[in-house]
Structure formats: C-alpha cells, structure tokens
Amino acid sequence: MRFCTLDHMRRWVVVLCVLVLSVASCSAEKTKPDASPEAQHTPAPRPAAHIGQTLDLMRIGGQQIAVTLTEVIAPATVPNGWGTAGKTYLATKIRIENAGTTTIVGNTNSDVTVVGSDDQNYPADFATVTECKDFAYGWFLIAAGSSNTGCVVFALPTGVTAAKVRYAPSSGISQDVGEWLNP
C-alpha cells in the first residue's frame, strides 16, 4: 500500500513540475524585451492563385519551396469500391520544387487542405485514386534544386465541391500559406 502512495506522489510531483515549467515558459515569452518587429511580422495575405500558377512559399527554418497546383481531378475514382458511401473523391495534383539549399522532408497530407463550397475545411483522405499517383503516403523528400509531383486525395460530402486548395508548409506551422481558386 505504501508503494502505491509513493507512486501516486511521484506522479503529482511530475505534473507539478510540468505546470511550473509551462508557466515559467509562458511568462518568459511575454516579458521578452526588444522582440524585433520582423520576428513578429505575419506575412500579408496574398491573392489566391489559379490552377497552373506557382506560389513561392517559406517553410519553417527559412526553407523556400515553389508549389504548383497543376490539376484538380473531380470526381476521382477510388479503386475496388474502397470509397465511402456519401462521399465524392477528388485529387489535387501538386508539384513541389525545393528552391532552397538543403534537402527537405514533409508531408503533403498535412500541408494541403481543401475549402469546400460549403465553407468547411477538409483534410486529406488516405484513399488512392486511379487517375494519379500519390506522394508516398503523403511524404516527400526533395533534394535542393529538385522537385516531386503527386496527388493528395480528399473525400467531400456528396454535393460539395472544392472552392479552394490551400497549401500550408511544414504541416501548417509556417505562417506562409498559398491558395488556389478552383473554378
């Protein structure tokens, strides 16, 4: 019984330490002197592009990429009846060029979303479609100066179409976001 009490006390000590460190971290962030305006600057919203146009985007760590939405395939065909009833599948064909000086790794399934005609944001679906090849389960590894092309698949409710395709580098952590209108 005494062992359970010590184990219980250790858990509370760990939780208390985590809370103290969290509070200290937050207060240190708030009282940082001389935070430069450049560090606090959020990029101005850019106008939405159109299919076929390339957007230069910045990933975290200052890595530059050039992203092109080359095609929106709607409807897209999920093979062997693997699709879900009540869903319409579409594929966004994307080309990512590493314009930086180091190899980059990322996941398009967490970088790309679709804004539906119902104003809802839809995350990537892990389905494959017959019309185009996906990235390796969303993952890409691109050397400096190279590019990779693949599809990101979405499952939208029947009757909803893609109004916009949004690319938020570094799984949305980057403040830079690109959008394309889908006519």
Side-chain angles (χ1 to χ4, degrees), residues 39-53:
Q40 297 175 0
H41 176 64
T42 301
R46 65 178 82 215
H50 296 280
I51 295 173
Q53 290 181 315

Side-chain angles (χ1 to χ4, degrees), residues 17-27:
C17 288
V18 169
L19 287 173
V20 168
L21 290 174
S22 295
V23 169
S25 171
C26 289
S27 62

Side-chain angles (χ1 to χ4, degrees), residues 104-118:
I104 59 171
V105 64
N107 190 305
T108 55
N109 287 342
S110 58
D111 292 347
V112 183
T113 55
V114 163
V115 179
S117 56
D118 60 355

Side-chain angles (χ1 to χ4, degrees), residues 13-174:
V13 169
V14 169
V15 168
L16 183 60
C17 288
V18 169
L19 287 173
V20 168
L21 290 174
S22 295
V23 169
S25 171
C26 289
S27 62
E29 284 296 316
K30 289 180 185 175
T31 59
K32 240 185 219 181
D34 301 89
S36 71
E38 293 80 25
Q40 297 175 0
H41 176 64
T42 301
R46 65 178 82 215
H50 296 280
I51 295 173
Q53 290 181 315
T54 300
L55 297 176
D56 293 323
L57 301 173
M58 191 68 68
R59 294 168 43 96
I60 58 171
Q63 299 169 317
Q64 182 88 27
I65 57 174
V67 183
T68 308
L69 175 65
T70 62
E71 185 177 6
V72 174
I73 303 162
T77 308
V78 178
N80 304 323
W82 285 97
T84 303
K87 300 285 183 180
T88 300
Y89 290 85
L90 69 94
T92 56
K93 192 170 189 180
I94 294 174
R95 180 178 183 270
I96 303 168
E97 180 182 348
N98 181 353
T101 57
T102 60
T103 297
I104 59 171
V105 64
N107 190 305
T108 55
N109 287 342
S110 58
D111 292 347
V112 183
T113 55
V114 163
V115 179
S117 56
D118 60 355
D119 265 346
Q120 299 295 312
N121 289 320
Y122 293 94
D125 189 271
F126 292 99
T128 57
V129 296
T130 57
E131 290 85 358
C132 59
K133 179 183 160 265
D134 65 353
F135 290 89
Y137 300 102
W139 290 101
F140 61 82
L141 177 70
I142 307 172
S146 297
S147 66
N148 195 353
T149 300
C151 281
V152 181
V153 177
F154 298 87
L156 304 180
T158 301
V160 174
T161 59
K164 293 180 189 176
V165 175
R166 184 175 289 147
Y167 192 102
S170 305
S171 300
I173 297 171
S174 171

